[in-house]
């Protein structure tokens, strides 16, 4: 309303100025004043009508937007996490894990024997759970081996599992984290790897240092040099993949993670 009145006043001042110029600066006649008031009334009425139409249009747009958002919220998987109830979000994150477990669990009978005396286990992800063997490869992608998902879920249920990844940058870290979340391995539910137990390092030496601080009874790795560095500090180690040989009574060599933990294909 105030903007309309200001606009009206500006018009009236312009009309008065023109009227004074036309009368040579003399006072305006009664007829002139009447004409000005009539013009002002017309302009004011026009502004009021225009403002009313704009308000009606805005209200219609808001109502339409509200109807659209209520009738279509997008696929459930694409909604923001806070749009789901707590139970729904938990079911969604736990679903891939539980489905993967139920498909292979009968074949894990040898796992208990391999984990005897093991309460804490560290697992280096590249080359064991992830197909990519190196930090540089993880800059481009991180692919979880589907056949290993049930095994890792069972490990997370039975022991304090810590997953480690040597990455070259924050990009590699985000790639690995996203792959584990997508596979249903990383999460707050029982049987998943808690997010705070997924650890990253920028060097091979940094990985070995983290393992020493965690003091596991068993460490599994696909990097021979890391296994050599940990020989004197970890009771039992498994070198997976056949790349390199490490001599020592506390080191085993296995073709893959499943065989290393007593599960034969």
């Amino acid at each position: 309303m105030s903007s309309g009145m200001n606009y009206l006043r500006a018009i009236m001042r312009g009309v008065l100025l023109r009227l004074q110029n036309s009368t040579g600066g003399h006072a305006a006649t009664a007829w002139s004043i009447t004409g000005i008031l009539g013009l002002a009334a017309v302009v004011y009425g026009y502004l009021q009508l225009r403002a009313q139409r704009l308000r009606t249009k805005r209200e219609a747009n808001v109502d339409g937007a509200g109807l659209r958002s209520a009738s279509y919220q997008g696929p459930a998987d694409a909604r923001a996490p806070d749009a789901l109830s707590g139970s729904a979000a938990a079911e969604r994150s736990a679903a891939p894990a539980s489905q993967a477990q139920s498909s292979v669990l009968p074949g894990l009978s040898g796992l208990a024997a391999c984990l005897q005396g093991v309460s804490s286990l560290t697992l280096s992800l590249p080359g064991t759970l992830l197909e990519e063997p190196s930090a540089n490869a993880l800059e481009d992608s991180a692919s979880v081996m589907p056949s290993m998902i049930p095994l890792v879920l069972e490990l997370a249920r039975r022991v304090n599992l810590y997953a480690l990844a040597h990455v070259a940058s924050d990009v590699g870290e985000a790639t690995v984290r996203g792959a584990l979340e997508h596979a249903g391995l990383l999460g707050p539910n029982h049987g998943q790897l808690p997010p705070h137990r997924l650890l990253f390092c920028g060097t091979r030496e940094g990985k070995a240092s983290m393992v020493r601080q965690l003091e596991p009874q068993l460490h599994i790795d696909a990097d021979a040099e890391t296994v050599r560095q940990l020989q004197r500090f970890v009771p039992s180690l498994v070198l997976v993949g056949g790349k390199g040989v490490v001599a020592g009574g506390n080191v085993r060599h296995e073709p893959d993670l499943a065989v290393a933990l007593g599960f034969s294909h």
Side-chain angles (χ1 to χ4, degrees):
M1 181 68 72
S2 61
S3 60
M5 291 301 296
N6 291 334
Y7 183 54
L8 179 60
R9 293 190 187 99
I11 292 177
M12 292 179 66
R13 283 196 298 270
V15 172
L16 285 173
L17 182 59
R18 289 189 178 184
L19 184 60
Q20 288 177 358
N21 291 336
S22 64
T23 58
H26 299 291
T29 63
W31 182 87
S32 300
I33 297 300
T34 301
I36 292 172
L37 292 176
L39 177 61
V42 171
V43 173
Y44 180 74
Y46 168 75
L47 291 175
Q48 287 290 93
L49 180 61
R50 184 170 178 269
Q52 179 63 34
R53 287 180 178 175
L54 289 175
R55 283 196 297 271
T56 303
K57 185 176 181 180
R58 282 196 298 267
E59 291 171 359
N61 289 338
V62 171
D63 291 341
L67 290 173
R68 287 193 294 271
S69 63
S71 61
Y72 178 73
Q73 298 179 2
D77 289 341
R79 298 177 198 169
D82 57 359
L84 300 172
S85 64
S87 59
E91 290 174 1
R92 187 180 69 175
S93 61
S98 60
Q99 291 170 3
Q101 275 186 297
S102 62
S103 63
V104 186
L105 277 181
L108 296 177
S109 57
L111 182 61
C114 290
L115 294 179
Q116 186 174 3
V118 175
S119 60
S120 180
L121 185 152
T122 50
L123 172 65
S124 179
L125 298 178
T128 59
L129 175 63
L130 300 177
E131 294 180 2
E132 291 76 10
S134 66
N136 290 333
L138 291 174
E139 290 292 289
D140 298 324
S141 64
S143 305
V144 177
M145 301 178 189
S147 61
M148 302 301 171
I149 294 176
L151 183 58
V152 174
L153 292 170
E154 187 66 13
L155 279 178
R157 288 181 60 247
R158 293 172 179 250
V159 300
N160 293 325
L161 175 63
Y162 296 88
L164 293 81
H166 172 196
V167 295
S169 69
D170 292 341
V171 174
E173 178 177 339
T175 303
V176 172
R177 190 180 299 277
L180 296 185
E181 290 176 346
H182 181 72
L185 290 168
L186 190 67
N189 300 300
H190 180 63
Q192 291 181 299
L193 178 69
H196 68 275
R197 289 186 181 172
L198 175 60
L199 308 175
F200 296 91
C201 58
T203 63
R204 179 186 286 116
E205 291 74 19
K207 179 174 62 172
S209 176
M210 284 195 296
V211 173
R212 290 176 58 183
Q213 293 179 36
L214 292 169
E215 299 182 340
Q217 287 80 40
L218 174 62
H219 175 72
I220 303 174
D221 208 305
D223 181 67
E225 183 57 33
T226 300
V227 171
R228 288 191 188 94
Q229 293 179 15
L230 293 172
Q231 268 188 288
R232 295 186 295 117
F233 307 100
V234 180
S236 182
L237 300 107
V238 179
L239 177 59
V240 170
K243 290 185 178 180
V245 176
V246 180
N250 63 338
V251 178
R252 290 190 292 121
H253 300 78
E254 301 293 356
D256 58 39
L257 179 61
V259 176
L261 292 170
F263 175 73
S264 57
H265 299 291

